Amino acid sequence: EPEVTQTPSHQVTQMGQEVILRCVPISNHLYFYWYRQILGQKVEFLVSFYNNEISEKSEIFDDQFSVERPDGSNFTLKIRSTKLEDSAMYFCASSPYTEAFFGQGTRLTVV
Amino acid sequence: DAKTTQPTSMDCAEGRAANLPCNHSTISGNEYVYWYRQIHSQGPQYIIHGLKNNETNEMASLIITEDRKSSTLILPHATLRDTAVYYCIVRVVTGGSYIPTFGRGTSLIVHP
């Protein structure tokens, strides 16, 4: 069964460093999303991406964040200068239309 | 989006049906009811969705009341692996984008 794949599963980075989280969505899906979940809190929407551009973004998705679909298969989330509060699970999702299918997440730890 | 209300937690015996309720009394005519679940620390998993008719798939059944103000997700024979947080989401489906927005959900514990 097709699935969304995220790498790495766990990343530790120093505060102020740039990180790139990678996702391979399900082939033929049209909509792509990033979410995050801080430990013990709700799953929070960050950004949606459709037709090679951002379609919606939340207040969390500020200038420190960017997304890209560099080669038609990968979908990346970049955090330019990480802060301690960026420590969270980051989930990528893709959707053919309405049902979203999530990856297993990347645990980002900022130290 | 219509607001949803779910119990904070529920428990169920293994092998029995788990019935998870959701209230969405302000739902409008073009809003769908979606259910997702999140097993501990994993990514959310889509379960089922519906507009007004009852729906069934290999994972669960969704029963929506006639007035659409509430719904119930039914796991017919719960197993220990169904222990998870279950999210009821009400959302308009438009042609451009659909974004699941997660609340606190119901923490279901299936016990032996």
Side-chain angles (χ1 to χ4, degrees), chain A residues 34-53:
Chain A
W34 282 101
Y35 287 76
R36 79 172 186 189
Q37 186 173 33
I38 296 170
L39 187 64
Q41 298 190 23
K42 296 188 292 186
V43 178
E44 300 175 291
F45 166 72
L46 293 178
V47 66
S48 64
F49 194 84
Y50 170 71
N51 203 25
N52 287 319
E53 61 183 21

Side-chain angles (χ1 to χ4, degrees), chain B residues 35-78:
Chain B
W35 284 84
Y36 285 78
R37 72 180 182 184
Q38 185 178 26
I39 297 170
H40 180 65
S41 295
Q42 297 183 22
Q45 179 186 22
Y46 165 79
I47 301 174
I48 198 167
H49 75 280
L51 182 62
K52 53 184 177 182
N53 297 320
N54 298 337
E55 302 287 346
T56 296
N57 62 21
E58 65 278 4
M59 289 183 68
S61 295
L62 173 61
I63 308 298
I64 303 173
T65 57
E66 194 168 336
D67 62 9
R68 302 186 70 239
K69 292 185 177 182
S70 66
S71 60
T72 301
L73 179 75
I74 301 172
L75 308 178
H77 305 287

Side-chain angles (χ1 to χ4, degrees), chain A:
Chain A
E1 187 174 322
E3 59 181 20
V4 176
T5 305
Q6 291 187 242
T7 55
S9 57
H10 193 179
Q11 171 129 21
V12 181
T13 188
Q14 288 200 326
M15 192 168 54
Q17 294 296 305
E18 173 183 288
V19 295
I20 297 176
L21 310 182
R22 303 181 191 279
C23 170
V24 179
I26 295 172
S27 178
N28 298 325
H29 281 191
L30 301 176
Y31 301 91
F32 312 105
Y33 310 95
W34 282 101
Y35 287 76
R36 79 172 186 189
Q37 186 173 33
I38 296 170
L39 187 64
Q41 298 190 23
K42 296 188 292 186
V43 178
E44 300 175 291
F45 166 72
L46 293 178
V47 66
S48 64
F49 194 84
Y50 170 71
N51 203 25
N52 287 319
E53 61 183 21
I54 291 174
S55 50
E56 286 190 53
K57 60 183 180 179
S58 72
E59 293 176 351
I60 303 168
F61 193 87
D62 61 22
D63 292 343
Q64 292 296 313
F65 292 89
S66 62
V67 290
E68 217 177 30
R69 195 150 188 256
D71 55 14
S73 60
N74 293 289
F75 181 49
T76 62
L77 175 70
K78 181 192 292 186
I79 309 175
R80 288 190 181 81
S81 178
T82 50
K83 304 187 281 277
L84 294 176
E85 53 264 38
D86 293 326
S87 293
M89 283 290 290
Y90 287 80
F91 296 109
C92 170
S94 69
S95 172
Y97 183 44
T98 61
E99 314 95 84
F101 296 87
F102 287 76
Q104 290 306 296
T106 293
R107 180 172 298 284
L108 176 66
T109 303
V110 182
V111 297

